Amino acid sequence: ALISLSFGGAIGLMFLMLGCALPIYNQYWPLFVLFFYVLSPIPYCIARRLVDDTDAMSNACKELAIFLTTGIVVSAFGLPIVFARAHLIEWGACALVLTGNTVIFATILGFFLVFGSNDDFSWQQW
Protein backbone atom coordinates (compact mmCIF):
# COMPACT_ATOMS: atom_id res chain seq x y z
CA ALA A 1 0.00 0.00 0.00
CA LEU A 2 2.80 2.39 0.86
CA ILE A 3 4.54 1.78 -2.45
CA SER A 4 1.37 2.47 -4.44
CA LEU A 5 0.75 5.67 -2.44
CA SER A 6 4.27 6.91 -3.10
CA PHE A 7 3.89 6.03 -6.78
CA GLY A 8 0.62 7.99 -6.91
CA GLY A 9 2.27 10.99 -5.28
CA ALA A 10 5.15 10.87 -7.76
CA ILE A 11 2.76 10.67 -10.73
CA GLY A 12 0.70 13.60 -9.42
CA LEU A 13 3.79 15.75 -8.90
CA MET A 14 4.99 14.79 -12.38
CA PHE A 15 1.76 16.14 -13.90
CA LEU A 16 2.14 19.33 -11.87
CA MET A 17 5.73 19.81 -13.01
CA LEU A 18 4.81 19.07 -16.63
CA GLY A 19 2.16 21.79 -16.41
CA CYS A 20 4.84 24.21 -15.28
CA ALA A 21 8.07 23.25 -17.01
CA LEU A 22 7.16 22.18 -20.54
CA PRO A 23 8.70 24.65 -23.00
CA ILE A 24 5.36 25.56 -24.52
CA TYR A 25 3.97 26.57 -21.08
CA ASN A 26 7.07 27.78 -19.15
CA GLN A 27 5.11 29.42 -16.32
CA TYR A 28 5.53 28.40 -12.71
CA TRP A 29 2.37 29.97 -11.27
CA PRO A 30 0.67 26.57 -10.82
CA LEU A 31 3.22 25.62 -8.15
CA PHE A 32 1.10 27.61 -5.69
CA VAL A 33 -1.16 24.54 -5.43
CA LEU A 34 1.61 22.91 -3.38
CA PHE A 35 0.39 25.02 -0.43
CA PHE A 36 -3.03 23.37 -0.77
CA TYR A 37 -1.44 19.91 -0.76
CA VAL A 38 0.22 20.71 2.56
CA LEU A 39 -2.83 22.44 4.08
CA SER A 40 -5.51 19.91 3.09
CA PRO A 41 -4.89 17.19 5.74
CA ILE A 42 -4.29 19.60 8.63
CA PRO A 43 -7.94 20.27 9.69
CA TYR A 44 -8.83 16.59 9.68
CA CYS A 45 -5.68 15.64 11.61
CA ILE A 46 -6.46 18.24 14.27
CA ALA A 47 -10.08 17.07 14.52
CA ARG A 48 -9.05 13.42 14.90
CA ARG A 49 -6.83 14.37 17.82
CA LEU A 50 -9.59 16.36 19.54
CA VAL A 51 -12.60 14.14 18.86
CA ASP A 52 -13.35 10.97 20.75
CA ASP A 53 -14.21 8.20 18.26
CA THR A 54 -16.54 6.44 20.69
CA ASP A 55 -19.35 8.82 19.74
CA ALA A 56 -21.82 7.32 17.31
CA MET A 57 -23.37 10.74 16.74
CA SER A 58 -21.96 13.24 14.30
CA ASN A 59 -19.51 15.62 15.89
CA ALA A 60 -19.42 19.33 15.03
CA CYS A 61 -15.63 19.49 15.20
CA LYS A 62 -15.22 16.68 12.72
CA GLU A 63 -17.88 18.18 10.46
CA LEU A 64 -16.07 21.54 10.51
CA ALA A 65 -12.78 19.83 9.68
CA ILE A 66 -14.34 18.07 6.70
CA PHE A 67 -15.88 21.36 5.57
CA LEU A 68 -12.53 23.18 5.79
CA THR A 69 -10.74 20.35 4.00
CA THR A 70 -13.34 20.44 1.23
CA GLY A 71 -12.83 24.19 0.87
CA ILE A 72 -9.08 23.73 0.56
CA VAL A 73 -9.48 20.99 -2.06
CA VAL A 74 -11.96 23.05 -4.10
CA SER A 75 -9.59 26.02 -3.92
CA ALA A 76 -6.76 23.84 -5.24
CA PHE A 77 -8.90 22.96 -8.24
CA GLY A 78 -10.09 26.53 -8.72
CA LEU A 79 -6.70 28.26 -8.64
CA PRO A 80 -5.39 26.85 -11.96
CA ILE A 81 -8.70 27.66 -13.62
CA VAL A 82 -8.48 31.26 -12.39
CA PHE A 83 -4.89 31.45 -13.64
CA ALA A 84 -5.94 30.15 -17.05
CA ARG A 85 -8.87 32.58 -17.28
CA ALA A 86 -6.53 35.45 -16.37
CA HIS A 87 -4.13 34.29 -19.12
CA LEU A 88 -1.30 33.69 -16.66
CA ILE A 89 -1.04 30.07 -17.80
CA GLU A 90 -2.24 28.17 -20.86
CA TRP A 91 -5.28 25.90 -20.78
CA GLY A 92 -3.12 22.85 -21.48
CA ALA A 93 -1.06 23.61 -18.39
CA CYS A 94 -4.31 24.02 -16.47
CA ALA A 95 -5.43 20.56 -17.59
CA LEU A 96 -2.13 19.02 -16.51
CA VAL A 97 -2.31 20.71 -13.11
CA LEU A 98 -5.92 19.59 -12.61
CA THR A 99 -4.90 16.02 -13.48
CA GLY A 100 -2.07 16.26 -10.97
CA ASN A 101 -4.49 17.62 -8.36
CA THR A 102 -6.81 14.67 -8.88
CA VAL A 103 -4.00 12.16 -8.46
CA ILE A 104 -2.44 13.90 -5.44
CA PHE A 105 -5.73 14.30 -3.57
CA ALA A 106 -6.65 10.69 -4.33
CA THR A 107 -3.27 9.72 -2.88
CA ILE A 108 -3.88 11.80 0.25
CA LEU A 109 -7.32 10.21 0.64
CA GLY A 110 -5.79 6.77 0.16
CA PHE A 111 -3.24 7.52 2.86
CA PHE A 112 -5.96 8.34 5.36
CA LEU A 113 -8.00 5.27 4.37
CA VAL A 114 -5.03 2.91 4.68
CA PHE A 115 -3.32 4.37 7.74
CA GLY A 116 -6.26 6.09 9.44
CA SER A 117 -7.47 3.26 11.64
CA ASN A 118 -6.40 3.03 15.27
CA ASP A 119 -4.54 -0.24 15.03
CA ASP A 120 -0.86 -1.05 15.55
CA PHE A 121 0.06 0.08 12.01
CA SER A 122 -1.24 3.64 12.15
CA TRP A 123 0.10 7.04 11.11
CA GLN A 124 -0.97 8.45 14.48
CA GLN A 125 2.01 6.78 16.13
CA TRP A 126 4.37 9.03 14.18
Side-chain angles (χ1 to χ4, degrees):
L2 189 60
I3 293 172
S4 63
L5 288 173
S6 63
F7 182 71
I11 295 296
L13 287 176
M14 180 197 66
F15 278 119
L16 177 64
M17 294 315 278
L18 282 176
C20 295
L22 281 177
I24 57 174
Y25 303 134
N26 202 22
Q27 294 289 327
Y28 289 90
W29 289 106
L31 285 180
F32 280 108
V33 299
L34 289 173
F35 293 120
F36 296 116
Y37 297 161
V38 173
L39 291 176
S40 64
I42 291 174
Y44 191 70
C45 290
I46 292 171
R48 282 191 59 119
R49 293 282 184 182
L50 296 176
V51 173
D52 196 17
D53 282 337
T54 58
D55 258 349
M57 303 282 291
S58 175
N59 193 345
C61 182
K62 194 178 268 188
E63 298 273 337
L64 178 65
I66 292 172
F67 176 75
L68 292 175
T69 302
T70 304
I72 292 169
V73 170
V74 169
S75 297
F77 280 96
L79 186 66
I81 295 170
V82 169
F83 283 162
R85 297 262 313 166
H87 301 292
L88 289 174
I89 64 173
E90 300 290 327
W91 283 103
C94 178
L96 285 170
V97 172
L98 291 178
T99 304
N101 279 350
T102 304
V103 173
I104 289 289
F105 286 123
T107 302
I108 292 171
L109 176 66
F111 178 81
F112 281 106
L113 291 177
V114 170
F115 297 109
S117 63
N118 290 331
D119 57 357
D120 292 336
F121 189 61
S122 175
W123 62 272
Q124 291 179 344
Q125 295 175 357
W126 304 342

